[in-house]
Amino acid sequence: MKFHDDKSDIYPLKGFLTCPTHGTSITAYGARGRLGELHHYYLCTKSKDCGQRHRIEDVHESIEDILSVISVNASVVNLYRKTLEKLFEKDDYQRRDEIARTKSEIEKIKSRLATLQDQFLDSVISPSDYHTMKQKVEKDLTGLELKLKGLKEDKSPFKEYVNQTVPMLENIVEYYRKSDGKTKKKILGCIFSKKLVFEKGRVATNVFNPTIQVLLNTSKVFRKSGTKKRGRK
């Protein structure tokens, strides 16, 4: 083995696994059997008696099982996409109301600026007072216009989640299998928030990041709702 070569294609989970006994990161290596065949393992190097040595095929299969669960849950959420979009539109009323209020404030500021100009032209206020007040009003106007622009551009993150993230997660297993090692590491880094523990033939610790946890929780709610509806029939 060339130890300084990038082996992420062979060991994409290196750096993601923790020894359940010692709590240290699990490494990976390849060893030749009696007949010269090469076998690959994830193992703990903390102690020779640790016993944490697993065939990469077993660990990789367990990870794909977890990705399959995520994929199934994404499919459930996708079935209820229209329902979710309606809920998001309803919850987006605060942003729309804020846009309306900001537009109203902008019109008031513009009216105030016009009044200020009339007072200056009619010699009601001095030039120095006019310029001082004009700068303040224009500053307020610029701030409100920037706020309005931000509100208009701030699209619902939930809608983007349903329309973009969920369909991608629905096909996550296939995408993961086709990816190279570096991409697989990025995918795993986006799914899990902590390192994983492999014991008793499977990945035992599933600590998902908030995006995945939202998906699982949402799917659970919809499945319960579906079960209740079927139970009433």
Side-chain angles (χ1 to χ4, degrees), residues 39-165:
H39 301 285
H40 297 278
Y41 301 92
Y42 289 106
L43 79 161
C44 175
T45 57
K46 186 73 174 180
S47 170
K48 292 182 179 179
D49 301 324
C50 179
Q52 292 297 323
R53 190 180 80 154
H54 312 286
R55 296 190 319 140
I56 64 170
E57 294 83 1
D58 296 334
V59 183
H60 293 173
E61 183 179 350
S62 181
I63 284 293
E64 289 188 12
D65 287 343
I66 295 174
L67 296 181
S68 295
V69 171
I70 293 173
S71 178
V72 169
N73 282 278
S75 297
V76 172
V77 172
N78 204 20
L79 285 173
Y80 291 89
R81 180 187 293 189
K82 294 296 182 183
T83 302
L84 284 170
E85 286 180 351
K86 289 179 181 178
L87 289 173
F88 299 152
E89 283 294 332
K90 186 178 179 180
D91 289 340
D92 199 34
Y93 76 91
Q94 290 183 330
R95 185 178 68 92
R96 294 197 298 270
D97 283 355
E98 188 65 22
I99 287 175
R101 283 196 296 269
T102 305
K103 285 182 177 179
S104 178
E105 289 178 21
I106 287 174
E107 291 304 314
K108 288 181 181 178
I109 293 292
K110 287 182 177 179
S111 177
R112 191 176 302 162
L113 184 60
T115 300
L116 198 62
Q117 290 172 340
D118 290 339
Q119 289 178 335
F120 170 65
L121 293 173
D122 293 338
S123 300
V124 176
I125 56 176
S126 66
S128 60
D129 288 341
Y130 168 71
H131 288 297
T132 301
M133 289 186 282
K134 179 174 178 286
Q135 286 179 349
K136 182 182 181 307
V137 172
E138 287 178 339
K139 181 180 179 181
D140 292 341
L141 179 61
T142 301
L144 287 169
E145 287 175 339
L146 288 173
K147 179 182 177 181
L148 179 63
K149 181 181 178 182
L151 286 168
K152 288 181 177 180
E153 292 176 351
D154 185 23
K155 297 180 180 178
S156 171
F158 301 108
K159 183 178 288 188
E160 183 178 346
Y161 177 78
V162 171
N163 292 331
Q164 298 181 21
T165 305

Side-chain angles (χ1 to χ4, degrees), residues 179-209:
S179 300
D180 58 24
K182 291 182 179 180
T183 305
K184 285 180 178 178
K185 284 180 175 290
K186 290 180 181 179
I187 293 172
L188 296 175
C190 291
I191 291 176
F192 299 105
S193 61
K194 293 183 180 180
K195 289 189 176 182
L196 310 172
V197 174
F198 187 84
E199 57 182 346
K200 297 181 180 179
R202 65 185 183 88
V203 174
T205 306
N206 298 342
V207 186
F208 299 108
N209 73 16

Side-chain angles (χ1 to χ4, degrees), residues 8-14 16 42 60 176 181 184-185 188:
S8 56
D9 287 343
I10 304 173
Y11 312 121
L13 291 174
K14 185 177 179 181
F16 283 94
Y42 289 106
H60 293 173
Y176 180 83
K184 285 180 178 178
K185 284 180 175 290
L188 296 175

